[in-house]
Amino acid sequence: TWGQVREELIKRVGKNNYTTWIEPLRLSQLKNGVASFEVPTTFFGDWVSRNFADHIRGQLAVAGTPVDRVEFTVGTMAEQPAVRPSTKPAAKPARARTTGTDEVTGAQLEQRFTFDNFVVGKPNELAHAAARRVAEGGPVTFNPLFLYGGVGLGKTHLMHAIAHELKFSRPDLHVLYLSAEQFMYRFVQALRDRQIMDFKELFRSVDVLMVDDVQFIAGKDSTQEEFFHTFNALVDQNKQIVISADRAPGEIKDLEERIRSRLQCGLVVDLHPTDYELRLGILQSKLEHYSNQYRGLTMAPGVLEFLAHRITTNVRVLEGALMRLFAFASLVGREINLDLVQECLSDILRSSEKRLTIEEIQRKVAEHYNVRLSDMIGPKRLRTIARPRQVAMYLSKQMTSRSLPEIGRRFGGRDHTTIMHGVRKIEELMAADGQLADDVQLLKRLLQS
Ligand code: ADP
Ligand code: MG
């Protein structure tokens, strides 16, 4: 793909820019929505990031491999400097905000992931407010801040935004952002190199520690152990910790109980799936950006609304769609209208068209409650089976457009009144029982992703 992308980039940035800035790039990794390139110097990386990152992302999207971020690292990973900052962050040059991927310590921050670029709506307002509070760098009021939600809903964006903001509000603080995977990688490396004391010292000397996608360390025993100690040491010193995960602490399997309970001690906030307004808002804010980048392109009315209506899975896909539209329209020199949308986004639209089926709901619910799929439609009246069955009925009513008789047929030929009774029962129980309400919420989320 990269070969193909480079071809297109010649056309977009011109031969001179291409030879100077694009040709020397080495694609070192393409995974988890991040394309990493090796560059000869930091300056080089900054320059490419500022001037060509969007082109690169655009052409990657056209080539069918959309990414959220492009990162530039100097040399190879193994040669990266130690994560400890040699100078106080305060001494960093003021260019910090404009560089593409600058380091707090070690892990890279995406320049685009700022509070300014984060669109706030009902589904994420609480998470946003909590992140803002942490970013003020005032006295610690809740610890940790635990952000959770499905893929592509803005967890990483908010964490990077906190780091960016803290550099300005509290340049004296030592902020460390990294993924749980990186935490493990460093830990294992420290063990291997017999530098575990340095490792401990580094992690215990930060003022703000942010660990992204913490579900990753579930089941990894020694890493969990070390994480737990780090966590406790920092909390004891009243240092701020921010954690993200794809689900609530209570829902992460294979997580030690003591870690789970510590994670629940702070503020646990949920990033809900986006609603139409939020999606439209995000598209509008991106549109401004692309109109600057691709001057001369016009967009017919109704396109954004159509996208916000149809692409409901995650923000990453939504952004990728808009980016691809612009890149495509500029290649073929056409107006962006609904025809172009159909042509250029047919794959995305087709996959988002895939309607949730009652069978899928039954399967997920059965899996969740550890009952047989056949019991979902079978006659057993045992509470442990009947309750999950009712949950599946409730979700079928809520999440599909099937009528009660149709749902009844798919539950082993039950009468529509039985379905209605099941739905009501669950509604009643949810109002009274927080655990059940949480369960249903989680299942919904799993089914939506
Ligand atoms: P997560 O870490 O939850 O999987 P990310 O933070 O990586 O999701 O977000 C995925 C993409 O969607 C990023 O490009 C991010 O900028 C964008 N995004 C998510 N939520 C918002 C929002 N509320 N406003 C603007 N962009 C958003
Ligand atoms: Mg993330």
Side-chain angles (χ1 to χ4, degrees):
T1 340
W2 180 230
Q4 201 181 318
V5 168
R6 286 179 11 152
E7 295 280 295
E8 290 305 332
L9 283 169
I10 303 184
K11 296 184 206 153
R12 293 230 35 103
V13 304
K15 183 83 182 126
N16 279 344
N17 276 330
Y18 178 82
T19 349
T20 318
W21 301 109
I22 307 290
E23 210 162 43
L25 297 177
R26 258 194 49 210
L27 181 64
S28 57
Q29 213 178 48
L30 187 64
K31 67 165 199 183
N32 300 336
V34 181
S36 310
F37 294 93
E38 279 179 24
V39 291
T41 63
T42 312
F43 170 77
F44 193 102
D46 286 351
W47 185 269
V48 177
S49 169
R50 213 168 328 160
N51 295 291
F52 306 116
D54 287 333
H55 289 300
I56 294 174
R57 293 202 313 128
Q59 293 309 326
L60 281 170
V62 172
T65 43
V67 297
D68 305 325
R69 282 189 279 152
V70 285
E71 277 183 358
F72 302 95
T73 36
V74 180
T76 61
M77 278 297 279
E79 289 160 6
Q80 286 248 307
V83 288
R84 191 192 323 235
S86 51
T87 51
K88 277 242 178 295
K92 276 199 174 169
R95 65 175 174 80
R97 187 161 251 183
T98 53
T99 57
T101 50
D102 53 339
E103 285 189 330
V104 180
T105 50
Q108 295 192 318
L109 295 181
E110 167 59 46
Q111 175 207 357
R112 292 185 302 120
F113 290 177
T114 58
F115 282 119
D116 282 349
N117 288 339
F118 191 82
V119 181
V120 184
K122 269 229 175 59
N124 61 23
E125 66 180 338
L126 210 58
H128 172 260
R132 281 274 191 190
R133 169 63 62 82
V134 170
E136 286 166 10
V140 173
T141 45
F142 38 78
N143 218 3
L145 169 58
F146 189 99
L147 298 170
Y148 76 94
V151 169
L153 297 181
K155 300 180 295 292
T156 300
H157 189 134
L158 281 177
M159 290 174 109
H160 286 212
I162 292 173
H164 284 303
E165 194 62 29
L166 277 172
K167 277 205 232 169
F168 286 83
S169 61
R170 293 294 306 274
D172 55 312
L173 295 184
H174 179 182
V175 179
L176 181 56
Y177 164 87
L178 78 178
S179 66
E181 190 177 3
Q182 287 166 324
F183 180 87
M184 181 176 91
Y185 176 73
R186 297 231 170 105
F187 174 61
V188 170
Q189 204 172 33
L191 282 178
R192 194 191 57 205
D193 301 344
R194 299 176 189 286
Q195 288 177 337
I196 202 70
M197 289 319 288
D198 289 355
F199 177 90
K200 284 182 189 294
E201 194 192 321
L202 164 69
F203 278 93
R204 284 160 183 56
S205 72
V206 301
D207 298 302
V208 180
L209 176 66
M210 297 198 268
V211 181
D212 208 350
D213 290 320
V214 81
Q215 75 277 355
F216 181 85
I217 62 164
K220 316 240 171 24
D221 292 342
S222 56
T223 305
Q224 277 197 54
E225 177 84 21
E226 187 56 35
F227 177 75
F228 181 69
H229 293 311
T230 307
F231 186 96
N232 285 338
L234 290 173
V235 170
D236 287 346
Q237 295 176 66
N238 217 11
K239 306 292 193 190
Q240 181 72 56
I241 296 177
V242 183
I243 304 284
S244 85
D246 63 354
R247 60 198 75 184
E251 300 293 340
I252 306 177
K253 287 208 179 83
D254 297 321
L255 195 65
E256 278 183 50
E257 195 45 47
R258 52 183 189 164
I259 297 188
R260 191 188 311 252
S261 62
R262 288 232 77 162
L263 290 177
Q264 282 163 332
C265 281
L267 181 63
V268 177
V269 226
D270 186 352
L271 281 137
H272 297 277
T274 56
D275 56 18
Y276 174 79
E277 271 78 52
L278 178 58
R279 290 194 294 273
L280 191 60
I282 291 172
L283 286 171
Q284 273 156 352
S285 89
K286 302 279 166 200
L287 179 64
E288 252 171 70
H289 174 81
Y290 288 123
S291 326
N292 283 330
Q293 194 194 330
Y294 294 94
R295 280 173 203 285
L297 281 188
T298 54
M299 181 181 272
V303 169
L304 293 189
E305 287 78 3
F306 178 80
L307 295 178
H309 184 68
R310 285 293 300 276
I311 305 177
T312 55
T313 43
N314 81 46
V315 178
R316 186 171 298 152
V317 176
L318 193 64
E319 281 185 327
L322 190 64
M323 183 159 52
R324 199 200 291 182
L325 272 182
F326 269 93
F328 189 77
S330 85
L331 278 177
V332 297
R334 278 169 50 184
E335 181 197 47
I336 301 177
N337 54 27
L338 290 172
D339 286 342
L340 190 85
V341 169
Q342 294 292 356
E343 266 174 62
C344 156
L345 301 179
S346 55
D347 55 336
I348 297 178
L349 295 175
R350 218 177 307 122
S351 73
S352 71
E353 213 171 49
K354 187 185 122 269
R355 290 274 147 74
L356 191 59
T357 64
I358 292 176
E359 287 69 27
E360 277 177 80
I361 295 176
Q362 290 170 334
R363 191 164 343 106
K364 263 278 178 302
V365 173
E367 197 180 293
H368 181 77
Y369 287 104
N370 219 352
V371 300
R372 288 212 192 84
L373 182 56
S374 58
D375 283 337
M376 283 280 135
I377 43 182
K380 287 191 189 152
R381 282 155 174 260
L382 222 62
R383 166 82 60 90
T384 50
I385 289 166
R387 195 69 83 224
R389 188 189 293 134
Q390 287 172 332
V391 167
M393 290 174 182
Y394 170 82
L395 288 171
S396 300
K397 182 76 197 90
Q398 281 262 310
M399 301 183 73
T400 73
S401 50
R402 301 282 173 207
S403 66
L404 290 175
E406 283 179 275
I407 296 174
R409 271 199 290 285
R410 285 176 176 74
F411 277 84
R414 285 177 162 78
D415 192 69
H416 74 96
T417 51
T418 310
I419 306 299
M420 182 137 75
H421 171 75
V423 172
R424 294 234 174 99
K425 186 81 202 164
I426 295 301
E427 280 169 354
E428 259 171 51
L429 287 173
M430 284 200 320
D433 173 1
Q435 175 62 43
L436 181 70
D438 285 350
D439 257 20
V440 171
Q441 192 63 33
L442 174 77
L443 279 163
K444 246 191 199 171
R445 191 200 301 282
L446 289 172
L447 286 163
Q448 269 163 353
S449 61

